[in-house]
Amino acid sequence: MRIFLAVVAATLVAGCGAPGGAPPIPRSVAAASSSALGAVAQKRLSCKSIKAEDLFVANDGGGDVAEFKPPYKGTPKKLAGIASPVAVAFDRKKNLFVTEYATDSVLEFKPPYTGKPIAKTKVPLNTPYGIALDGNGHLFIADYGNSRVVELDPPYKGSPKAIITNGISSPDGLAFDEKCDLFVTNQGTNTFTESAPPYGGAPVLTGGVGFA
């Protein structure tokens, strides 16, 4: 079983199913917010305080990220040529991050998301899934195949700032709350964990009783 979660914030990360193959498979969504909020480290806001902007959908089987304009009913603009995208997220600058499953890497694009990526991770990953960014622009990657969460500093090309393994087992979903606590869904144990900064210690919470 694969479980996913999202904490109410400016960005939503979700997905399901095994990557790869056709027909196109929508895997993850994220909304760019005009309030310039990152995914985390922000005071909790009501939905009315966040202006609706474009919606981005990772289309695994189609090899693209689709960008929809409100009210999200028309034909999307597509950022093509991505090898099995499975997760998307934004930073405060509205730069778009995409997990490229087929190359075991994460790509970064800047608005208007029409050119080549401005950065690509080089740290060895094995089947990366979910991604999230904190308020300081640190990139967190659910390194599913290595049963760890990797933290990278900008520009995301060097060695990890931190490697989180306590309580982690085949992670696939990541999210932050307003305290910067990191939540991870673990497919290996059918649980979710909550870890407090700097995330190196034991989880402050392990949940998921009844998940199967």
Side-chain angles (χ1 to χ4, degrees), residues 35-212:
S35 57
L37 290 175
V40 300
Q42 313 297 334
K43 292 183 178 179
R44 197 173 298 275
L45 299 174
S46 70
C47 292
K48 293 181 180 179
S49 66
I50 301 177
K51 180 182 177 181
E53 289 199 9
D54 295 0
L55 178 70
F56 292 74
V57 181
N59 187 6
D60 179 8
D64 61 65
V65 174
E67 178 183 358
F68 292 87
K69 300 286 186 182
Y72 318 120
K73 297 179 180 179
T75 301
K77 182 175 72 174
K78 292 186 177 181
L79 177 59
I82 302 174
S84 297
V86 294
V88 288
F90 287 92
D91 66 8
R92 292 188 181 203
K93 299 177 183 178
K94 296 187 182 180
N95 286 350
L96 171 67
F97 293 77
V98 182
T99 303
E100 191 174 52
Y101 170 85
T103 63
D104 288 330
S105 61
V106 177
L107 310 178
E108 179 186 6
F109 298 87
K110 67 179 181 180
Y113 321 112
T114 54
K116 295 182 179 180
I118 61 173
K120 181 176 182 177
T121 58
K122 295 183 178 180
V123 61
L125 301 171
N126 182 0
T127 319
Y129 277 101
I131 50 177
L133 291 107
D134 69 10
N136 295 315
H138 298 159
L139 174 65
F140 291 74
I141 306 169
D143 191 4
Y144 176 90
N146 290 321
S147 282
R148 64 182 187 172
V149 175
V150 175
E151 179 185 359
L152 298 176
D153 281 340
Y156 315 113
K157 298 179 181 180
S159 299
K161 171 183 174 66
I163 294 177
I164 306 163
T165 58
N166 278 328
I168 305 300
S169 179
S170 301
D172 47 10
L174 303 178
F176 287 95
D177 68 6
E178 75 279 4
K179 299 182 295 183
C180 293
D181 282 4
L182 173 65
F183 292 79
V184 182
T185 55
N186 299 283
Q187 187 182 357
T189 54
N190 290 337
T191 62
F192 66 88
T193 55
E194 176 186 1
S195 299
Y199 315 114
V204 299
L205 172 68
T206 298
V209 176
F211 292 162

